[in-house]
């Protein structure tokens, strides 16, 4: 190649070879050098492509009626790019669970807009089936209340002027022993505290489509005060946040609407869930 370039250079000086030809010669020379340098990587790629091509040709010689031929033909239609390569360090996680038959009524936690009105209606219309969990009034320090939570005596609490309204484990069990579903009044973050003391509530979330739908709800007994625009917006935004953060705990989602329709759905779901076997992580009991 070197002597050809020298000769061509002499001819170029005499005007016998155009400069474009010299550029093509030089480009061809550099390309051949780069192929030699990259043969460690590119050659492997070409070799892999050649092997795939070989197997495709080999499969075509198989008789279509033979079993092996059909299997190989089926494999040939699968793109190797679509087959994931699993890392050897990856392993599928499994969790052992155990079945629990709930003979006592499970507590019910209702989340979403207008929950107070819904719970009032459930207690009014089905007094032998539902009962609101009483809050114990405690005049104690913040440290004492938090100690009760840590010791699994309290599930949740709300600060009031001069005291705390506390949901205790004892009050929940007292209602359950009366063969009644305890309507909980706790924040969704307290669900895990219930699980830690082997109480597994039925968690229901009421989902309204818009602020307007909440504002339009009326009931002469359980919604005597008209829902304002501000209040409906606050409830809607709060519900969106709850759904985003705690949806993994939801047993079911109920479509918002008239209070009577919501309560009808709750009654059906609670009966259904109560009759189901409950599966919990093994060793949790």
């Amino acid at each position: 190649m070197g002597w050809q370039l020298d000769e061509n250079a002499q001819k170029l000086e005499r005007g016998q070879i155009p400069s474009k030809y010299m550029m093509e010669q030089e480009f061809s020379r550099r390309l051949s050098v780069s192929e030699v340098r990259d043969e460690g990587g590119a050659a492997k790629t070409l070799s892999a492509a050649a092997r795939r091509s070989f197997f495709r040709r080999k499969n075509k010689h198989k008789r279509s009626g033979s079993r092996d031929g059909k299997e190989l033909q089926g494999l040939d239609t699968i793109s190797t790019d679509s087959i994931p390569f699993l890392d050897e360090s990856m392993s599928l996680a499994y969790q052992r669970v155990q079945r629990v038959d709930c003979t006592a009524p499970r507590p019910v936690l209702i989340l979403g807009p207008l929950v107070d009105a819904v719970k009032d209606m459930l207690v009014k219309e089905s007094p032998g089936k539902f009962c609101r969990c009483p809050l114990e009034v405690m005049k104690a320090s913040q440290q004492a209340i938090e100690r009760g939570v840590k010791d699994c005596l309290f599930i949740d609490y709300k600060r009031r002027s001069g005291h705390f309204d506390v949901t205790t484990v004892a009050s929940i069990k007292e209602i359950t022993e009366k063969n009644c579903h305890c309507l909980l009044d706790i924040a969704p973050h307290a669900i895990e505290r219930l699980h830690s003391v082997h109480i597994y509530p039925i968690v229901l979330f009421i989902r309204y489509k818009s602020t307007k739908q909440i504002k339009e709800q009326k009931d002469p007994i359980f919604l005597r005060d008209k829902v304002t625009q501000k209040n409906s917006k606050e409830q809607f935004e709060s519900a969106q946040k709850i759904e985003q953060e705690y949806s993994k705990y939801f047993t079911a989602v109920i479509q918002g609407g008239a209070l009577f329709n919501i309560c009808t759905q709750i009654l059906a779901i609670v009966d259904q869930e109560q009759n189901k076997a409950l599966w919990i992580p093994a060793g949790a009991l």
Side-chain angles (χ1 to χ4, degrees):
M1 179 66 73
W3 67 268
Q4 289 180 350
L5 290 175
D6 293 341
E7 183 181 355
N8 290 332
Q10 294 174 3
K11 291 181 179 181
L12 180 62
E13 292 178 356
R14 296 195 296 269
Q16 296 177 355
I17 299 178
S19 59
K20 180 179 180 181
Y21 180 79
M22 282 293 294
M23 294 173 64
E24 292 177 351
Q25 290 289 329
E26 178 66 14
F27 176 78
S28 178
R29 182 183 70 82
R30 293 182 180 180
L31 181 61
S32 64
V33 173
S34 65
E35 288 177 351
V36 173
R37 291 177 180 174
D38 295 342
E39 65 179 353
K44 292 181 181 179
T45 304
L46 292 174
S47 176
R51 287 198 298 271
R52 288 196 296 269
S53 178
F54 168 75
F55 283 117
R56 291 195 186 98
R57 289 197 300 271
K58 186 176 180 179
N59 293 340
K60 290 180 181 179
H61 290 294
K62 291 283 184 180
R63 289 186 303 154
S64 60
S66 67
R67 180 179 177 182
D68 294 340
K70 289 181 179 179
E71 291 177 353
L72 289 172
Q73 186 177 1
L75 289 173
D76 189 46
T77 60
I78 302 175
S79 170
T80 54
D81 294 335
S82 65
I83 301 176
F85 292 91
L86 297 178
D87 188 351
E88 293 181 357
S89 62
M90 288 179 60
S91 61
L92 296 177
Y94 292 90
Q95 185 179 36
R96 293 178 62 86
V97 295
Q98 62 190 61
R99 175 171 173 163
V100 177
D101 293 321
C102 297
T103 55
R106 294 169 60 186
V108 178
L109 175 60
I110 305 173
L111 301 171
L114 308 180
V115 290
D116 287 332
V118 170
K119 286 187 283 188
D120 288 342
M121 179 175 283
L122 287 172
V123 172
K124 177 73 174 180
E125 300 299 329
S126 303
K129 192 178 185 68
F130 296 100
C131 182
R132 299 193 72 154
C133 184
L135 300 176
E136 294 192 20
V137 179
M138 295 186 179
K139 293 184 178 181
S141 65
Q142 180 79 27
Q143 292 77 9
I145 297 297
E146 291 178 354
R147 192 180 307 116
V149 172
K150 186 177 180 180
D151 294 339
C152 299
L153 299 175
F154 307 154
I155 296 300
D156 199 8
Y157 61 89
K158 297 178 181 179
R159 179 188 289 275
R160 301 298 182 186
S161 57
H163 70 274
F164 292 92
D165 290 340
V166 183
T167 300
T168 66
V169 175
S171 61
I172 297 174
K173 291 184 176 181
E174 183 180 354
I175 294 176
T176 301
E177 291 172 357
K178 295 178 180 179
N179 199 31
C180 192
H181 291 281
C182 178
L183 294 176
L184 299 169
D185 184 15
I186 62 174
H189 61 75
I191 296 174
E192 290 188 355
R193 294 176 191 160
L194 288 170
H195 292 173
S196 67
V197 293
H198 315 308
I199 298 176
Y200 303 95
I202 299 171
V203 183
L204 305 177
F205 177 74
I206 303 173
R207 179 192 291 155
Y208 279 90
K209 296 179 180 178
S210 63
T211 300
K212 181 181 179 182
Q213 188 184 20
I214 299 174
K215 188 174 180 297
E216 290 176 346
Q217 300 311 310
K218 297 178 182 179
D219 190 281
I221 299 176
F222 302 103
L223 279 177
R224 295 180 180 178
D225 296 331
K226 183 179 179 181
V227 182
T228 65
Q229 178 68 27
K230 180 182 179 181
N231 186 251
S232 61
K233 182 180 179 181
E234 290 175 350
Q235 292 193 61
F236 183 74
E237 292 177 350
S238 176
Q240 285 185 316
K241 186 176 180 181
I242 290 174
E243 184 173 14
Q244 183 178 4
E245 296 181 7
Y246 301 101
S247 59
K248 63 180 179 180
Y249 297 113
F250 295 173
T251 305
V253 175
I254 297 172
Q255 297 304 319
L259 297 185
F260 178 80
N261 293 334
I262 291 175
C263 290
T264 301
Q265 294 180 65
I266 291 175
L267 285 168
I269 293 172
V270 168
D271 287 341
Q272 183 180 8
E273 293 298 324
Q274 182 64 40
N275 293 325
K276 282 184 179 179
L278 180 64
W279 294 91
I280 63 173
L285 290 178

